[in-house]
Amino acid sequence: MASSTKATLIGGLAVLLWSLLALFTVGAGELPRFQLMAMTFAVAFLASFGFLLRGGWRALGVLRQPLGAWVLGVTGLFGYHFFYFLALAHAPAVEASLIAYLWPLLIVLFSALLPGASLKWFHLAGALLGFLGAALLVTGERLAFELAYWPGYAAAAVCALAWSGYSVMNRRYAQVPTEVVSGFCGVVALLAVLCHLAFETTVVPQGSEWLAVLGLGLGPVGFAFFFWDYGTKRGSLPLLGALSYGAPLFSTLVLVAAGLAASSLSLWLACLMIVGGAVLAAKDLLFR
């Protein structure tokens, strides 16, 4: 149980890093999405690959893992971002983001399908409360689904399914070392380059935009995935799912602290709902 708690807390570090995503993305300016994705995953790959090389070339043997683990990891990381960008291109950002934020709730639901899983009522209730808080936070009490944007909504739903499916199915490869995520990042960077060349025009970063790219690659679009890999393989998936709704909350609070967003009543109400949902989902851990 102690090791599971430790792994859950490590997975929670990914949520904290993801809260910096919006701030660094704003700092990256108007860089095309797939170009930014390619650059940040390349940073994550180079940094983690360099860390692996500290053990010599033999240490790279950790990358020799089952094909299924590679397919799951690459499709999870790349698929989530690809369909999220696709959703934003074909639907309003508010509605697309809300549908995409179904992934933590889906993690809680899908985790019940795992062998020996124990999904409790407070896990589901906490995730639902967190989703309602995220909905209030993302929409700001404004929501208008229109049939004309159904391709974007569908892409957002696939995005949510891609990440929740990867997170839950990752448990099947618990024996695969987390270091293999370095290889996943390298492949995702190459795929993002191909998408960039096919759909976008290259923009050279200027000044502080380089620092934003570096920050993204070392944090929310990079090493956060190493923490998440470890947590989903060994930690409590229902609790991680509920805790994940802290990412949009912390992200908004960071923007408010940086003067890039305004405080509001709906923000603080969403804060209470998300924190309350996380505490409820962690009931057995906090009050054992």
Side-chain angles (χ1 to χ4, degrees), residues 125-156:
L128 283 170
L129 188 57
F131 174 71
L132 292 175
L136 179 61
L137 187 66
V138 172
T139 64
E141 303 174 345
R142 299 181 303 276
L143 193 63
F145 288 100
E146 298 181 24
L147 188 58
Y149 298 120
W150 73 264
Y153 301 153

Side-chain angles (χ1 to χ4, degrees), residues 11 19 23 48 66 68 75 82-84 151 180 213:
S19 68
L23 180 64
S48 58
T75 54
F82 179 84
F83 284 104
Y84 185 64
V180 75
V213 170

Side-chain angles (χ1 to χ4, degrees), residues 156-240:
V158 174
C159 164
L161 286 169
W163 191 248
S164 57
Y166 158 70
S167 299
V168 174
M169 292 177 65
N170 202 30
R171 184 79 90 185
R172 293 184 56 191
Y173 297 100
Q175 78 284 359
V176 173
T178 291
E179 289 84 350
V180 75
V181 176
S182 174
F184 299 166
C185 289
V187 175
V188 170
L190 290 175
L191 292 174
V193 167
L194 295 177
C195 289
H196 168 64
L197 295 176
F199 305 123
E200 300 172 338
T201 300
T202 302
V203 176
V204 179
Q206 302 296 320
S208 61
E209 292 177 354
W210 286 105
L211 294 178
V213 170
L214 182 62
L216 282 167
L218 294 177
V221 188
F223 285 98
F225 295 123
F226 289 81
F227 294 138
W228 189 250
D229 178 86
Y230 190 88
T232 53
K233 284 176 177 175
R234 298 171 177 83
S236 168
L237 285 171
L239 183 51
L240 281 172

Side-chain angles (χ1 to χ4, degrees), residues 35-157:
Q35 178 186 335
L36 182 60
M37 181 179 171
M39 295 176 71
T40 52
F41 272 97
V43 169
F45 167 69
L46 292 174
S48 58
F49 192 76
F51 182 82
L52 283 178
L53 283 180
R54 294 196 315 165
W57 288 104
R58 290 185 178 181
L60 298 183
V62 75
L63 299 178
R64 291 196 295 270
Q65 299 299 333
L67 178 61
W70 276 87
V71 171
L72 178 64
V74 172
T75 54
L77 269 64
F78 180 76
Y80 171 82
H81 291 87
F82 179 84
F83 284 104
Y84 185 64
F85 295 159
L86 194 64
L88 292 180
H90 293 88
V94 170
E95 287 78 11
S97 296
L98 180 58
I99 294 174
Y101 267 126
L102 282 169
W103 65 261
L105 180 58
L106 291 176
I107 286 178
V108 175
L109 295 175
F110 290 163
S111 66
L113 303 176
L114 292 173
S118 58
L119 180 61
K120 307 288 179 50
W121 69 267
F122 48 83
H123 290 142
L124 184 57
L128 283 170
L129 188 57
F131 174 71
L132 292 175
L136 179 61
L137 187 66
V138 172
T139 64
E141 303 174 345
R142 299 181 303 276
L143 193 63
F145 288 100
E146 298 181 24
L147 188 58
Y149 298 120
W150 73 264
Y153 301 153

